[in-house]
Amino acid sequence: MSMGLIKEFDSVAQRVLYGLRFVYADFVAVESDLVSAGSQQRLHELMGRMLGRLYEEPGLLELPDNPDEAYEWHLCNNQKPALNAVFLAVCKPIYEFYKFLYITALRGELRGGALSVGGDVLKQNKAGYKPCFGNLLRQAGIEAVKDKNGVTLNAGGEVLAALKLLAERVPVDPDPWHPYALEDFARCSFDGGKAYLIERIDNVNGWNGLLTGLQKECLENGYEQEIKLSLGAAGQGLDIYLKNKVGGFQTGYNPRKYQQFYFGTINGIGEKAMLTDFDSLDGDIRRHFISICRRCNGCLICTKSGKNKKFTVEVTYDGTAYKLCPSYPRHSWEAPDPKLIGVLLKYHELQEKYALK
């Protein structure tokens, strides 16, 4: 799938939907005695088309039309409560639509070209049907009919059989609050593969292979990779981790931020110990700490109302004295570059050394 980086959208709804389109899977068929590879591909094309039409016209799902707005990288949701409410008003209907479609496919009965699910089954699974769902499904060539017994979907060929296969292959989420892993279903991933996402982040952001190169180097040096996707009533997200024993790299996508894609470190474990040992650190690491640490402004939050000693570390670098606060360091950047990656690889080695100090 080819996409470009969009920084300004027509609405908050488009900003959220961009993320779903970004993670939409590359097509990979799976072995099935009931559904051909061609029918799986047809469903993949139709669900992708449906998502594209929703992006162009969010009103198909009756999503709010609030003009585009997001959070700066340092702001939390509760610092803009009105905007948080808008994002929730966008994300919840999207989640409810995919949950309805998933439950219908998973629990419904397939007869010929029709897939029917009882109203009691939807209720038991806390799913429901809204007329606007039919408007959106029509974009994928699927007609929905609701009656007193439940909902029936109609489509030609093996499309609905492929939809049922897709639902049956989605893993069940062990989290009791989110029992269904809807992200694989929404991105129409029959095989659950996520490997394409690293290269896609590289390409969309114009990082020229830095991320794929870093992935290769990390895996060759004992890092472990973990890719997490989420789709819920409060939003969706993508996080990719390359972990060593203590820390590692984190990159991903957050639809609520103006800085949609981010790159950085997982945590700051060991930083206070490194700062205490500042003079013995490599020059690159010393410069790194000067750039990522806030200067102490006397807020005294770190002392917990005087119960603890100040967390600030006083250091001297290149003839200048600094009072560095390790409580609020910068761990995220809008884009990586070879120099930053080199410094962070050194930093991760030091984390393993200083973590227990």
Side-chain angles (χ1 to χ4, degrees), residues 96-97 99-101 103-104 119 122-123 125-130 133 146 151:
E96 289 176 339
F97 167 75
K99 185 174 181 181
F100 156 76
L101 192 59
I103 295 298
T104 300
L122 291 175
K123 186 176 181 179
N125 287 274
K126 298 181 180 180
Y129 175 79
K130 297 179 180 179
F133 293 178
K146 186 180 184 302
V151 181

Side-chain angles (χ1 to χ4, degrees), residues 224-274:
E224 294 184 358
Q225 178 176 286
E226 183 180 7
I227 301 177
K228 290 185 176 182
L229 287 163
S230 60
L231 173 62
Q236 53 110 188
L238 162 64
D239 294 288
I240 300 173
Y241 302 94
L242 291 163
K243 299 179 179 179
N244 63 9
K245 294 178 182 178
V246 177
F249 295 95
Q250 180 179 6
T251 189
Y253 171 84
N254 186 338
R256 290 178 176 242
K257 303 290 187 179
Y258 284 117
Q259 180 188 324
Q260 299 164 72
F261 294 90
Y262 60 87
F263 171 86
T265 54
I266 293 174
N267 59 50
I269 292 175
E271 285 183 342
K272 175 64 183 290
M274 291 185 219

Side-chain angles (χ1 to χ4, degrees), residues 210-355:
L210 278 174
L211 199 57
T212 50
L214 175 63
Q215 176 197 35
K216 182 175 183 294
E217 182 173 357
C218 285
L219 294 179
E220 288 175 349
N221 286 279
Y223 284 64
E224 294 184 358
Q225 178 176 286
E226 183 180 7
I227 301 177
K228 290 185 176 182
L229 287 163
S230 60
L231 173 62
Q236 53 110 188
L238 162 64
D239 294 288
I240 300 173
Y241 302 94
L242 291 163
K243 299 179 179 179
N244 63 9
K245 294 178 182 178
V246 177
F249 295 95
Q250 180 179 6
T251 189
Y253 171 84
N254 186 338
R256 290 178 176 242
K257 303 290 187 179
Y258 284 117
Q259 180 188 324
Q260 299 164 72
F261 294 90
Y262 60 87
F263 171 86
T265 54
I266 293 174
N267 59 50
I269 292 175
E271 285 183 342
K272 175 64 183 290
M274 291 185 219
L275 281 171
T276 303
D277 204 17
F278 186 83
D279 291 339
S280 67
L281 300 178
D282 173 278
D284 285 340
I285 298 298
R286 283 182 285 165
R287 283 189 291 273
H288 180 66
F289 274 113
I290 296 297
S291 70
I292 70 169
C293 288
R294 288 176 55 181
R295 310 304 186 251
C296 178
N297 62 6
C299 72
L300 301 182
I301 292 176
C302 62
T303 68
K304 295 185 178 180
S305 301
K307 296 177 183 177
N308 298 330
K309 292 182 179 179
K310 290 174 75 172
F311 213 47
T312 303
V313 179
E314 297 185 17
V315 304
T316 300
Y317 177 73
D318 199 19
T320 302
Y322 297 90
K323 293 182 178 180
L324 301 183
C325 174
S327 296
Y328 304 99
R330 181 179 184 181
H331 289 150
S332 179
W333 293 264
E334 191 163 1
D337 59 62
K339 184 176 180 181
L340 174 63
I341 287 175
V343 172
L344 291 178
L345 284 168
K346 290 182 182 180
Y347 166 80
H348 292 155
E349 289 181 11
L350 286 171
Q351 276 193 300
E352 294 194 29
K353 175 183 175 182
Y354 283 90

Side-chain angles (χ1 to χ4, degrees), residues 197-216:
L197 289 166
I198 290 182
E199 184 175 357
R200 190 173 290 177
I201 291 175
D202 244 344
N203 292 339
V204 164
N205 288 280
W207 291 352
N208 300 316
L210 278 174
L211 199 57
T212 50
L214 175 63
Q215 176 197 35
K216 182 175 183 294

Side-chain angles (χ1 to χ4, degrees), residues 67-131:
D68 186 33
E69 186 180 357
Y71 298 82
E72 298 296 345
W73 68 271
H74 61 281
L75 292 179
C76 299
N77 293 341
N78 60 9
Q79 291 178 277
K80 282 191 170 184
L83 180 57
N84 183 48
V86 173
F87 271 99
L88 291 175
V90 171
C91 295
K92 187 178 180 182
I94 295 171
Y95 169 74
E96 289 176 339
F97 167 75
Y98 280 110
K99 185 174 181 181
F100 156 76
L101 192 59
Y102 170 74
I103 295 298
T104 300
L106 184 68
R107 306 297 183 195
E109 293 185 14
L110 192 62
R111 295 177 182 174
L115 178 65
S116 299
V117 64
D120 56 337
V121 174
L122 291 175
K123 186 176 181 179
Q124 288 168 9
N125 287 274
K126 298 181 180 180
Y129 175 79
K130 297 179 180 179

